[in-house]
Amino acid sequence: MTPRHADTHPGSLPEARDEVLHEAVREALDGAPDEAHGKGHATAATGRRRSPGRWSGGPFRTLGVAGALAGAALGGLLLGAAAPALAAAPGATASAAAVRAPQPTTVTVSGSGRAAAAPDLAALSVGVEATRKTAKEALAAQSEAAKALVDALHAQGIAERDIRTESLSLSPVYTQTPEGESKVTGYQAGQSFSVKVRDIDRTGQIIGAVNEATGDAGRINGVVFDVADPTTLRAKAREAAYRDAHDKAAQHARLSGHRLGRLVSLTEGESSRPGPGAVPSAPADGGEGVPLAPGEIEEHVTVTAVFELV
């Protein structure tokens, strides 16, 4: 008997199942008893009459046979639909295996870099204070001293954009009585300024001029030297920090019997800048200026790098 092509070619499976199902239903219906007369009838295929006694159960048995055949055919359809999903299972297993692949070996190092340059900017913190018996008198004296300070800065060639008020204050002055009580005996008013000196060679001269203009009310709080544009200095420090981290990672690779691979990640920390330097108060009579030593400005950058080891 020649095998059906539908059994060997997946594309023809639906047609073969339909044909089997229809043939089975026809045979079942042909062999069913005549419900109207209770007698057997001749099949279309043979012309022979079948006896009613041959079908115990009557039409219910006929329906049962047809339902069983239909269920078998439906099961075949469901199995055929599930076949592609089952065929894809090996690929899913391969993907899961790829996820569980071992992670590459890495080394994490930190690098530090410094760069120095001569300063080209000085930032002064200067101010005035006045103490009087009343608040009004204290504010008036402070205002007069502050005006003298600003006028002296302008006379030294400091532009308006380089002078900025940092703080303004007015507070009572307390004195303790012999009985141990605190008593207000006056008021103190103060004002401080931030001043940028772009010609740092004249910084000491400017400090002396401020002190001379303000007298006893003048205050020199501090000075810090800096560079006007730190971009170039910071870039040099960053390059040095990266080289330091790379050299450390390469050494770890050699010590562990590996070769240094690609850079996985790089994080830069905050760069540090110089803090304000203290300057002694200038004498009341001013003079030629306060001697200063600008020195060098240092930029410090740190990085954290992760490299692969191969």
Side-chain angles (χ1 to χ4, degrees), residues 48-150:
R48 291 179 297 176
R49 182 177 298 276
R50 293 189 179 182
S51 168
R54 194 174 176 183
W55 289 91
S56 59
F60 298 101
R61 181 173 180 84
T62 301
L63 294 176
V65 171
L69 292 173
L74 179 60
L77 290 173
L78 294 177
L79 181 60
L86 294 175
T93 305
S95 299
V99 171
R100 294 193 297 269
Q103 297 297 319
T105 303
T106 61
V107 59
T108 303
V109 293
S110 60
S112 177
R114 295 177 182 272
D120 57 7
L121 179 71
L124 301 179
S125 176
V126 297
V128 294
E129 280 184 358
T131 303
R132 300 293 187 270
K133 287 187 177 182
T134 66
K136 183 177 180 179
E137 292 175 348
L139 280 174
Q142 174 265 318
S143 297
E144 183 180 356
K147 184 178 182 304
L149 185 151
V150 173

Side-chain angles (χ1 to χ4, degrees), residues 102-245:
Q103 297 297 319
T105 303
T106 61
V107 59
T108 303
V109 293
S110 60
S112 177
R114 295 177 182 272
D120 57 7
L121 179 71
L124 301 179
S125 176
V126 297
V128 294
E129 280 184 358
T131 303
R132 300 293 187 270
K133 287 187 177 182
T134 66
K136 183 177 180 179
E137 292 175 348
L139 280 174
Q142 174 265 318
S143 297
E144 183 180 356
K147 184 178 182 304
L149 185 151
V150 173
D151 290 343
L153 291 174
H154 288 160
Q156 292 295 321
I158 305 299
E160 192 70 36
R161 65 186 178 94
D162 291 332
I163 305 173
R164 183 178 63 194
T165 297
E166 293 288 342
S167 66
L168 180 65
S169 63
L170 175 65
S171 58
V173 177
Y174 294 93
T175 302
Q176 193 170 17
T177 64
E179 291 78 14
E181 297 180 356
S182 295
K183 183 180 179 180
V184 176
T185 58
Y187 289 86
Q188 184 182 75
Q191 188 174 6
S192 64
F193 298 87
S194 173
V195 182
K196 290 182 179 179
V197 181
R198 301 185 184 276
D199 184 1
I200 64 171
D201 293 336
R202 301 181 62 247
T203 304
Q205 179 182 338
I206 292 171
I207 291 175
V210 167
N211 196 71
E212 182 177 6
T214 56
D216 293 339
R219 300 291 184 270
I220 309 297
N221 302 317
V223 61
V224 58
F225 292 97
D226 205 349
V227 289
D229 184 8
T231 304
T232 302
L233 191 63
R234 187 173 294 120
K236 291 181 179 179
R238 186 178 294 118
E239 290 177 5
Y242 178 80
R243 286 195 300 269
D244 183 45

